Amino acid sequence: MQHGAQGQRSALQTLYELWTLLCIVEPPQITEKPEVIRVTVGDPVSLDCKVTGSPELKVRWTKDGRELQSIRQHKLSFENNVSSLKIQSAQREDEGHYVFETHGANSNFFLIVVLVTEQVIPPSFIKPLVDMQEVLGSFVQICCKISGSLPISVEWQKDKSKISSGVKHKLIQQDNAVSIEIEQLELSDAGSYSCKLTNAAGKNAPTMIGHVIPAHKVSISLTWSPSFSSEPPSFVTLPKSQVALPNTTVRFKGSFQGTPPFMVKWFKDDTELMTGPTCFTGLEGSSCFLELYSVGVTHSGIYSCQVSNDAGSVRCTADLTVKG
């Protein structure tokens, strides 16, 4: 009887493990695929397919029925569930029917290479954007897939104001993808973002919007995360702009409120300042300060202080003029 009971428990355990395995295994599925792409000869091309599923997925790319291998002309990669096919310099022979496959799921699409001698292909967007709802203090990336003859000039705007690359915003352009990255979202980052493209085909460049097809812009709205029970920082007193004589010490100081702990950074013209022989940055309770030693004309510029905590960040600026 005892052996019979043990055998029954063993069989039940095996059935349970099989049932658990079936519940965990997720069939492969293509969740994002590229569209038709038109490029001029010599332009780089990047095709990306995003897949989900388990266990470890096996993927492959074919062109006109023949499997592609990672060589100098075609680079294949598979990272973070994104399979990429990069063509370093598209040629006439690259025109054809490309297929991406993964465990029975397959995605068919065409890459059309157009040879243009007197006229270039105007820029266009091949991947629509959608409006985004993000959490204060988080990181966000807005990415556009584009097509057209290179070089393509890219301009990002927020509420119709041009965005420049700096500490707050990072602008990226690689192959046929452009993106903007925003660090530590704060309330002032909410709004409407747009991407404008221009090339030699003319100035009638399209603009990407997220909620219309074809889309022209993307709106970011910010919310509180349930884990963010703290109050974001805000300045109570701001550092004052100053005029100083050469070889003197300059001190900027401001105070703020919010929920600690805080992280304070000082910048000069978007370059972060670190404590050293020429300056000292400090934090005293809810006050932040910056001391500059033996200032000269080169120290003139715009200084900014950024205070951050788990709930968000805030920044203020002050000018320094050192007399010559």
Side-chain angles (χ1 to χ4, degrees):
M1 291 292 293
Q2 184 177 3
H3 290 292
Q6 289 178 349
Q8 186 178 14
R9 285 196 296 269
S10 177
L12 289 173
Q13 179 67 26
T14 302
L15 288 174
Y16 175 78
E17 291 175 353
L18 289 174
W19 177 81
T20 303
L21 182 61
L22 289 173
C23 290
I24 294 175
V25 171
E26 178 186 356
Q29 182 178 3
I30 296 174
T31 59
E32 189 175 306
K33 62 182 180 180
E35 304 296 334
V36 173
I37 299 177
R38 300 177 69 242
V39 297
T40 52
V41 169
D43 287 349
V45 180
S46 179
L47 304 176
D48 301 312
C49 269
K50 188 174 184 179
V51 298
T52 59
S54 60
E56 182 178 355
L57 297 174
K58 293 183 179 180
V59 300
R60 74 169 189 160
W61 290 83
T62 61
K63 175 182 179 290
D64 299 329
R66 299 182 60 182
E67 183 173 357
L68 296 176
Q69 304 294 329
S70 189
I71 57 176
R72 182 176 181 181
Q73 174 67 359
H74 305 95
K75 298 292 184 181
L76 301 177
S77 64
F78 187 38
E79 297 180 358
N80 299 322
N81 281 13
V82 176
S83 179
S84 297
L85 166 62
K86 295 184 181 296
I87 301 177
Q88 306 300 322
S89 177
Q91 302 299 316
R92 291 285 296 183
E93 56 267 25
D94 292 317
E95 180 178 348
H97 184 195
Y98 289 77
V99 177
F100 170 78
E101 301 177 62
T102 171
H103 284 299
N106 64 81
S107 174
N108 297 294
F109 55 88
F110 291 91
L111 165 65
I112 303 175
V113 180
V114 181
L115 178 60
V116 180
T117 55
E118 298 179 357
Q119 185 178 1
V120 295
I121 302 172
S124 62
F125 293 96
I126 57 177
K127 178 183 176 182
L129 293 175
V130 294
D131 290 344
M132 309 169 70
Q133 189 173 36
E134 302 295 330
V135 176
L136 282 166
S138 64
F139 164 86
V140 70
Q141 181 186 56
I142 308 172
C143 184
C144 294
K145 288 289 188 177
I146 63 175
S147 177
S149 300
L150 299 179
I152 297 177
S153 175
V154 181
E155 179 181 311
W156 286 92
Q157 295 183 352
K158 176 185 178 292
D159 299 328
K160 298 184 179 180
S161 296
K162 183 179 178 180
I163 300 174
S164 298
S165 188
V167 176
K168 182 68 177 179
H169 303 97
K170 184 177 181 181
L171 308 183
I172 302 171
Q173 182 174 0
Q174 184 176 9
D175 296 336
N176 57 313
V178 297
S179 61
I180 178 172
E181 296 179 352
I182 308 174
E183 297 280 354
Q184 295 184 321
L185 288 172
E186 41 195 304
L187 288 174
S188 59
D189 293 319
S192 178
Y193 291 78
S194 61
C195 179
K196 182 179 180 181
L197 306 178
T198 309
N199 69 359
K203 296 184 178 180
N204 296 324
T207 302
M208 174 63 90
I209 302 182
H211 54 275
V212 180
I213 298 177
H216 295 284
K217 66 181 179 182
V218 57
S219 297
I220 294 182
S221 58
L222 299 177
T223 61
W224 293 98
S225 167
S227 60
F228 287 165
S229 57
S230 57
E231 177 187 357
S234 59
F235 280 100
V236 178
T237 59
L238 302 174
K240 296 181 179 180
S241 298
Q242 301 183 44
V243 177
L245 295 173
N247 299 319
T248 59
T249 297
V250 174
R251 180 182 174 93
F252 290 106
K253 183 177 181 180
S255 62
F256 51 87
Q257 61 184 8
T259 304
F262 299 102
M263 180 173 65
V264 175
K265 294 182 179 180
W266 285 89
F267 303 88
K268 178 183 183 293
D269 300 330
D270 289 333
T271 299
E272 184 176 357
L273 300 175
M274 309 297 292
T275 295
T278 60
C279 70
F280 181 82
T281 63
L283 175 64
E284 296 177 349
S286 58
S287 297
C288 52
F289 63 88
L290 167 68
E291 292 183 348
L292 303 172
Y293 307 125
S294 300
V295 296
V297 176
T298 58
H299 287 86
S300 297
I302 300 175
Y303 290 80
S304 58
C305 177
Q306 177 179 294
V307 182
S308 308
N309 67 1
D310 288 340
S313 65
V314 66
R315 180 182 289 210
C316 65
T317 60
D319 295 332
L320 173 62
T321 302
V322 180
K323 294 183 177 181

